[in-house]
Amino acid sequence: MIRLLLCCLVLTSSLYSFDVQNARDIINEIGSDAYAGRRPGHPGGIKTEDYLAAKLQEYGLKPAGRNGFMQEVPMLVTREESAALTLMNHELGKIPLVQGADFSVVTNSGSGSFMANVVIAGMGYNRPDKGRDDYGDLDCQNRIVVILRDFPDSPYSFQEDHSRGRTLAWAKEKGAAAVIWYDRSIPVQGAAILEQDYDPNLPMFYIGDQVLSLLLDGSGYSLKTYKSELKKQPIPIDTGYEMWVSVRTRKLSNVSARNVVGIVYGNDPVLKNEVVVVGAHMDHVGENAKGVIFNGADDNASGTGLLSELARNIASGPALKRSVMFIHFTGE
């Protein structure tokens, strides 16, 4: 949608003037450390909402939220306070893993500190009705379950089989004490568990290539061969390794996030009742327990800056027949 409107503005440059520097200034502003990664419900997220609402007001848009420019969005909000993962009995010795490089904590992870054996449950599917059971006879009770998600050409439905919530539910049914996902070469930052899937006593992490490769040592598989063979058939693995898990998160009460919504009304008596909605998500993943800020300049301060400048263009240019609503979304 943003690309379409941008093309229209380029084609009608005599009517509109797109200020690249203004868009860049907004990107630089909300992508700075002062906004602490713009996590919804956290101070940096609230500061971002206020800043963007003030911009829409400055540009002459009319408020279109439930409370001025703001639209309250109830959601689960947690704070990551500490995290550690250590591979205890590898042939290389005890290997403390580095948060941010080797692992990350899933947003809205539960808390816990314990040592447990590690098992790898392939794609994490439990769909014998579809001819796939990645668990087989694997004993997952009170163990750390590792699940791979790096399969874009999987024949199984993402929503039914491959979402974090679905694979989490299967792992919990099997008795998992903690769940670790692998998705890509470096650990995913900020992937969230929805409120209905939240378990305050279940730690959840992401790992990258290095950690999964270590866990596969002694299995007869490399990272490459395991991923390749896993596409053909389930390969559950009891790694024989133990891992120390420690994470503490805190559920925040009486907090929520807000969409920022403004509108430019059309001038046609009939068509003004038709609304073109343009949106981009303003939030990012905030900071981890080590205080490292993930600024999210590309994801999605860039889209937010562009959306803001489009709003300024439309509001200051010739009136359109239809109304145009601009929404800075929270919670992606």
Side-chain angles (χ1 to χ4, degrees):
M1 179 67 76
I2 287 178
R3 288 179 181 175
L4 283 175
L5 282 181
L6 182 56
C7 289
C8 291
L9 289 174
V10 170
L11 291 173
T12 57
S13 57
S14 60
L15 300 178
Y16 297 95
S17 176
F18 188 87
D19 188 341
V20 173
Q21 187 58 52
N22 184 53
R24 183 179 289 121
D25 288 345
I26 292 171
I27 295 168
N28 289 337
E29 175 69 18
I30 66 174
S32 70
D33 285 355
Y35 290 77
R38 307 187 305 282
R39 186 164 172 177
H42 288 241
I46 295 168
K47 183 175 181 177
T48 305
E49 296 159 0
D50 291 339
Y51 171 80
L52 293 172
K55 282 294 181 185
L56 294 185
Q57 184 174 34
E58 175 189 334
Y59 298 155
L61 279 78
K62 302 299 182 184
R66 291 182 178 273
N67 182 17
F69 287 99
M70 302 301 187
Q71 178 188 37
E72 203 80 12
V73 181
M75 67 171 64
L76 172 66
V77 179
T78 60
R79 184 186 305 280
E80 180 184 318
E81 298 186 332
S82 66
L85 276 182
T86 303
L87 187 54
M88 299 300 296
N89 59 336
H90 194 272
E91 64 180 354
L92 297 175
K94 185 167 70 173
I95 305 174
L97 304 177
V98 178
Q99 186 175 10
D102 297 322
F103 78 92
S104 63
V105 178
V106 173
T107 301
N108 300 333
S109 166
S111 301
S113 295
F114 51 82
M115 189 131 63
N117 291 328
V118 181
V119 297
I120 303 175
M123 294 182 180
Y125 296 165
N126 185 20
R127 293 303 300 263
D129 58 315
K130 290 188 175 183
R132 179 98 188 187
D133 178 8
D134 279 285
Y135 287 91
D137 296 327
L138 196 64
D139 180 8
C140 300
Q141 192 66 40
N142 296 320
R143 295 187 171 192
I144 299 165
V145 175
V146 177
I147 296 168
L148 280 70
R149 302 187 76 233
D150 183 26
F151 296 95
D153 54 351
S154 168
Y156 302 94
S157 161
F158 183 89
Q159 283 301 115
E160 291 183 10
D161 305 313
H162 213 36
S163 67
R164 276 185 297 274
R166 196 69 187 96
T167 54
L168 171 63
W170 282 320
K172 289 179 66 175
E173 287 173 8
K174 296 291 184 177
V179 177
I180 296 176
W181 286 281
Y182 165 88
D183 194 297
R184 59 193 72 172
S185 59
I186 58 175
V188 175
Q189 302 288 340
I193 288 298
L194 301 178
E195 186 164 15
Q196 63 262 30
D197 301 317
Y198 173 65
D199 185 331
N201 300 308
L202 187 76
M204 291 172 278
F205 304 89
Y206 261 98
I207 57 172
D209 283 357
Q210 180 170 310
V211 180
L212 185 55
S213 294
L214 289 170
L215 292 173
L216 286 168
D217 282 349
S219 69
Y221 292 96
S222 67
L223 179 61
K224 182 178 180 180
T225 60
Y226 185 67
K227 290 166 68 175
S228 176
E229 291 299 313
L230 199 57
K231 294 179 181 181
K232 305 173 187 176
Q233 61 182 343
I235 309 174
I237 297 175
D238 188 336
T239 69
Y241 294 125
E242 288 184 320
M243 187 173 279
W244 167 254
V245 168
S246 181
V247 61
R248 184 170 70 249
T249 61
R250 182 162 57 91
K251 184 177 180 180
L252 304 183
S253 57
N254 301 318
V255 295
S256 61
R258 300 171 295 178
N259 293 332
V260 179
V261 190
I263 192 168
V264 179
Y265 289 105
N267 65 356
D268 185 278
V270 176
L271 293 179
K272 70 178 182 181
N273 296 309
E274 297 182 10
V275 181
V276 178
V277 178
V278 191
H281 77 86
M282 61 183 158
D283 63 302
H284 197 56
V285 304
E287 56 185 310
N288 66 19
K290 296 172 68 175
V292 176
I293 295 173
F294 296 88
N295 300 91
D298 185 47
D299 181 12
N300 191 25
S302 56
T304 302
L306 176 57
L307 180 68
S308 298
E309 176 55 18
L310 286 174
R312 189 195 66 80
N313 266 267
I314 297 298
S316 62
L320 301 176
K321 291 182 178 181
R322 291 173 174 82
S323 300
V324 184
M325 180 179 289
F326 294 88
I327 306 179
H328 294 291
F329 289 104
T330 188
E332 199 167 343

